[in-house]
């Protein structure tokens, strides 16, 4: 599975920080990684709240544009090792200068330089500027403006992440309207912790993709709607199992969604936190459901079609995958 060319649409930049990067960062900051990594370099969290605290601590350790540039370089290197040729990363303007536009531009400039260099070595990437639900709709407007003002280059989409039990997707309509007018692709986390109603709420925002979305399986009509509308699901099976949303990989609804005609893709979410990698995700699904490379190639073609990149890049990806 390592040699299979892959596209990943759902990867949180801070949550993808490799263990080695975090150890180096902690040494430079004279900070402890207790509660983030154990002595063996594995994630130390035990339950979802611990995971959220660990994630926030990683974000707090990142200080300024150069830290984000170094982080992106480390993450893209790891992705390339996993056979990825294209990756979309969730990047929150809130973590890059408090969603202040000049600060966001500074962070973006440093990351774009890294992204250009990585593209020359064979791995393309784009950023999805991400609103954080728990900070509320007004803060989301700031993030959306950051995205809209920097659209057209590496910033290719707007996303909505954070706790699904806070507010309604419709509360963030202004932010998504702003991003749509700027020509950005739209996606939202839904149907992970929230039920089918959260997926329906995300669809009202006009998204073409849903992050996770697995609980749509509880509503047959909703599954049919996702299939008929060609909505792409950014599925992260290892994350769902690690967080206890799905008890075991063989109970994951990915196969049932696929059988129902829903476009599914495979991503890692926050791989070091969940003890996974893109190759592990593919191999685990192959072992569990008996899928061969033909099935995964279709997943990746759907991912290329759903990617928020420009048309020439999409055509190049499809050609490379075919």
């Amino acid at each position: 599975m390592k040699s299979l060319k892959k596209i990943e649409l759902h990867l949180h930049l801070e949550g993808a920080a490799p263990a080695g990067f975090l150890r180096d960062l902690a040494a430079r900051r004279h900070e402890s990684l207790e509660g983030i990594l154990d002595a063996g370099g594995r994630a130390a969290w035990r339950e979802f709240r611990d995971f959220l605290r660990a994630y926030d601590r990683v974000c707090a350790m990142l200080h300024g544009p150069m830290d984000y540039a170094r982080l992106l370089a480390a993450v893209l290197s790891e992705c390339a090792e996993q056979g990825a040729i294209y990756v979309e990363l969730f990047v929150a303007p809130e973590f890059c200068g408090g969603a202040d536009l000049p600060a966001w531009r500074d962070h973006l400039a440093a990351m774009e330089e890294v992204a250009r260099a990585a593209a020359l070595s064979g791995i393309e990437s784009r950023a999805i500027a991400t609103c954080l639900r728990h900070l509320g709709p007004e803060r989301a407007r700031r993030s959306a403006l950051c995205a809209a003002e920097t659209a057209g280059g590496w910033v290719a989409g707007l996303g909505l992440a954070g706790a699904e039990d806070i507010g309604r997707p419709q509360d963030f309509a202004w932010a998504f309207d702003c991003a749509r007018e700027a020509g950005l692709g739209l996606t939202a986390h839904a149907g992970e912790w929230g039920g089918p109603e959260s997926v329906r709420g995300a669809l009202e925002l006009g998204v073409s993709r849903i992050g996770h979305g697995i609980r749509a399986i509880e509503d047959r009509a909703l599954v049919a709607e996702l299939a008929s509308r060609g909505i792409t699901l950014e599925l992260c099976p290892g994350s769902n199992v690690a967080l206890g949303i799905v008890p075991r990989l063989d109970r994951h609804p990915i196969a049932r969604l696929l059988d129902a005609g829903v476009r599914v893709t495979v991503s890692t979410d926050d791989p070091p936190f969940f003890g996974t990698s893109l190759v592990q995700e593919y191999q685990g699904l192959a072992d569990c459901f008996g899928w061969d490379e033909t099935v995964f190639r279709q997943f990746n073609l759907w991912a290329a079609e759903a990617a928020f990149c420009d048309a020439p890049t999409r055509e190049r990806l499809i050609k490379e995958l075919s």
Side-chain angles (χ1 to χ4, degrees), residues 16 33 45-46 52 76 165 172 201 204 267 282:
L33 289 176
W45 64 275
R46 294 185 178 279
L52 293 179
L76 290 179
D165 59 348
F172 300 87
E204 290 181 20
S267 294
Y282 278 58

Side-chain angles (χ1 to χ4, degrees), residues 94 97-100 131-132 135-144 172:
E94 287 286 355
D100 171 74
C131 305
L132 304 176
L135 298 182
E138 291 304 314
R139 296 293 299 187
R141 291 186 178 211
R142 291 168 58 92
S143 291
F172 300 87

Side-chain angles (χ1 to χ4, degrees), residues 64-229:
M66 293 315 299
D67 275 356
Y68 268 86
R70 295 186 191 100
L71 172 59
L72 180 61
V75 170
L76 290 179
S77 178
E78 288 281 320
C79 290
E81 281 291 314
Q82 297 295 313
I85 58 172
Y86 177 87
V87 181
E88 290 187 357
L89 302 119
F90 291 103
V91 187
E94 287 286 355
F95 296 144
C96 298
D100 171 74
L101 182 56
W104 168 247
R105 288 188 188 278
D106 289 344
H107 283 75
L108 197 55
M111 288 187 282
E112 285 178 326
E113 185 175 346
V114 170
R116 284 191 294 269
L120 292 174
S121 67
I123 180 165
E124 288 270 359
S125 63
R126 296 292 187 275
I128 301 173
T130 309
C131 305
L132 304 176
R133 289 182 66 150
H134 56 279
L135 298 182
E138 291 304 314
R139 296 293 299 187
R141 291 186 178 211
R142 291 168 58 92
S143 291
L145 286 170
C146 285
E149 290 294 330
T150 55
W154 192 56
V155 177
L158 184 80
L160 179 64
E164 291 179 29
D165 59 348
I166 297 177
R168 306 171 304 152
Q170 299 91 324
D171 298 335
F172 300 87
W174 189 97
F176 277 73
D177 288 343
C178 174
R180 185 182 301 105
E181 290 176 9
L184 291 165
L186 305 177
T187 182
H189 286 55
E192 180 186 19
W193 296 97
E197 67 282 355
S198 72
V199 177
R200 292 191 181 280
L203 292 176
E204 290 181 20
L205 295 174
V207 301
S208 61
R209 293 173 11 199
I210 298 285
H212 299 290
I214 57 171
R215 292 192 58 191
I217 200 67
E218 300 168 16
D219 185 327
R220 185 177 300 177
L222 177 56
V223 171
E225 181 179 354
L226 293 174
S228 66
R229 291 176 58 175

